[in-house]
Amino acid sequence: MTIQTRIGETKPQGGAVSARTNPDETRHDWTREELQALFDLPFNDLMFEAQLVHRRWFKPDEVQMSTLLSIKTGGCPEDCGYCAQSAKFETGLKASKLMEVERVLAEARRAKDAGATRYCMGAAWREPKDRDMDMVCAMVEGIKEMGMETCMTLGMLSGQQVHRLAQSGLDYYNHNIDTSEEYYPKVISTRTYQDRLDTLERVRNAGINVCSGGIVGMGESPSDRIGMLMTLANLEEHPQSVPINMLMPVEGTPLGMSEKVDPIDFVRLIAVARIAMPKSVVRLSAGREHMSEETQALCFLAGANSIFIGEKLLTTKNPEADKDAKLFAKLGIKSMPAHSCPSEK
Ligand code: SAM
Ligand code: DTB
Ligand code: SF4
C-alpha cells in the first residue's frame, strides 16, 4: 500500500490528509514510515480508517470473550521485567505447582457459565517439561468437550511439544513478542527475541492459531510501539489474535513504577493494529481495570474486538463481572460466537 492523500473526503473544509487503506488487502510488507504515518493521522481520520477495515471483516458490535486461568503460578526462572511471577523479584506472590486437571475443568465450566467462549490457560514456565504435557493436553481435551475454544501460554515450545498440543486439538497458542526487537533486551535477558519468533514459527507451522502481541507502558518509545506492530504485521501469517496489554504495574518488579500510557496514544495503537492486521482479532488485554469506560469504548471503536472477562487475569485484577456487564449493555456489545475470526485456521 502506498499512503495516498484523500483530501476533502472526511473533512470537506479542506486541509485534512488521511491514509487510504484498502480494507480487502492483507499485507506483510509494512514499512515503519507507513505505520508511523497512520499513527500520526488526525485522530478522527485514523478512527475512520480503522472502522473501514474493522467493518469489512467483523461485526462492529461483537467482541470475543475469553477467561484466563493461571494453571501454574510463580517461581518462574525468567526475568521478564513486568512479571509478578518471576522468581527473580520479590512480589509477594505465592508459587504453586501445576493444577489438577479436574480443578481446571471445573474453573472452565464456571467461566463458560459466565459467558466466556474461549478458555486461556497460562503457566509460569520458561518452557514446559515433557512430563507436564499429558496433563496440559488433558486440560485442552476436556475444555474442548465443553464446546469452548482453548488457548495455552506455556513459554517456549519444542517441535515435539507443539505436535502434542496440535494433536490434543488446541485452538490458539499465546506467545508474545512483548515489544520491539530493540527495546526487548531492556526488559528481558533470559531469552531472546529470536527464541520467541522461533516458537511462533513452530506453532504456526503446526496449524495452531497464533496469539501474539505485546505490552505498552514499559518505558518504550513511540517508535518501539511501531516496531512491535511492524514485526507482528510482517510475520509470514498475521497472528490470528493480537493482544495489546497495557502494563499492570506490579510492586517489586523492575517496571513496577513505570509511567502511565496516555489513553489516546493507546487507542491510536489499537487502531493501527486493526488497520495493519485486518483479519486478526485485536485483544484489549491486560489493563482494563485501570481504564475508564470512555477509553475502553474508544478502543472498541478503534477495532479492538476481544477481551478477558472474569475478575482475575493471571495474578492481577480485571474488572468485576457486573461492572463489565453494565459497560457492555451501555455500548450494545455482544459476545462474538466461537470460531468466527475470519483468519482462523
Ligand atoms: N510464561 C509464559 C510466557 O511468558 O510465555 C506464559 C505466561 S506470561 C504471564 C504471558 C504474557 O502476559 C507475557 O508475555 C506478557 O506479555 C503478559 N504479561 C505478563 N505480566 C504482565 C503485566 N504485569 N502487565 C501486562 N501484561 C503482562
Ligand atoms: C496476554 O497477552 N495477556 C494475558 C495473556 N496473554 C496470557 C496475560 C496478562 C497478564 C497480566 C498480569 C497478570 O495478571 O499477572
Ligand atoms: Fe515467566 Fe512468563 Fe512471567 Fe516471563 S512472563 S517471568 S516467562 S511467567
Side-chain angles (χ1 to χ4, degrees), residues 165-335:
L165 287 171
Q167 276 185 325
S168 74
L170 181 70
D171 296 294
Y172 284 80
Y173 193 75
N174 167 245
H175 198 59
N176 291 338
I177 60 166
D178 279 347
T179 185
S180 68
E181 184 162 12
E182 296 74 28
Y183 197 65
Y184 182 92
K186 301 217 159 48
V187 181
I188 299 146
S189 78
T190 47
R191 66 180 163 197
T192 65
Y193 211 64
Q194 192 57 49
D195 288 334
R196 297 205 179 217
L197 295 174
D198 291 346
T199 292
L200 291 178
E201 188 179 3
R202 286 187 200 106
V203 171
R204 185 167 64 236
N205 290 343
I208 300 173
N209 294 293
V210 168
C211 172
S212 188
I215 311 179
V216 293
M218 304 192 293
E220 72 287 342
S221 67
S223 136
D224 289 313
R225 294 178 190 164
I226 297 287
M228 175 178 89
L229 288 190
M230 205 172 122
T231 300
L232 293 168
N234 290 341
L235 288 172
E236 209 173 289
E237 237 174 55
H238 292 163
Q240 284 73 20
S241 164
V242 180
I244 307 289
N245 295 278
M246 190 183 271
L247 178 75
M248 290 294 284
V250 176
E251 225 183 291
T253 63
L255 295 172
M257 302 297 281
S258 304
E259 214 173 289
K260 282 200 174 70
V261 180
D262 178 81
I264 298 294
D265 284 346
F266 187 79
V267 174
R268 283 181 178 275
L269 195 71
I270 298 262
V272 178
R274 162 52 61 230
I275 293 167
M277 293 170 276
K279 296 192 217 172
S280 304
V281 164
V282 176
R283 188 192 300 258
L284 171 53
S285 203
R288 287 201 304 116
E289 173 69 6
H290 301 311
M291 280 177 212
S292 68
E293 289 194 338
E294 292 85 344
T295 299
Q296 293 184 60
L298 283 174
C299 289
F300 294 131
L301 202 61
N305 58 350
S306 173
I307 52 167
F308 288 115
I309 56 167
E311 285 156 26
K312 206 163 163 202
L313 292 165
L314 288 170
T315 67
T316 62
K317 281 189 76 188
N318 204 36
E320 285 175 10
D322 45 334
K323 197 169 164 207
D324 267 352
K326 277 187 197 131
L327 176 64
F328 303 156
K330 272 196 219 179
L331 301 178
I333 281 176
K334 302 183 193 72
S335 172

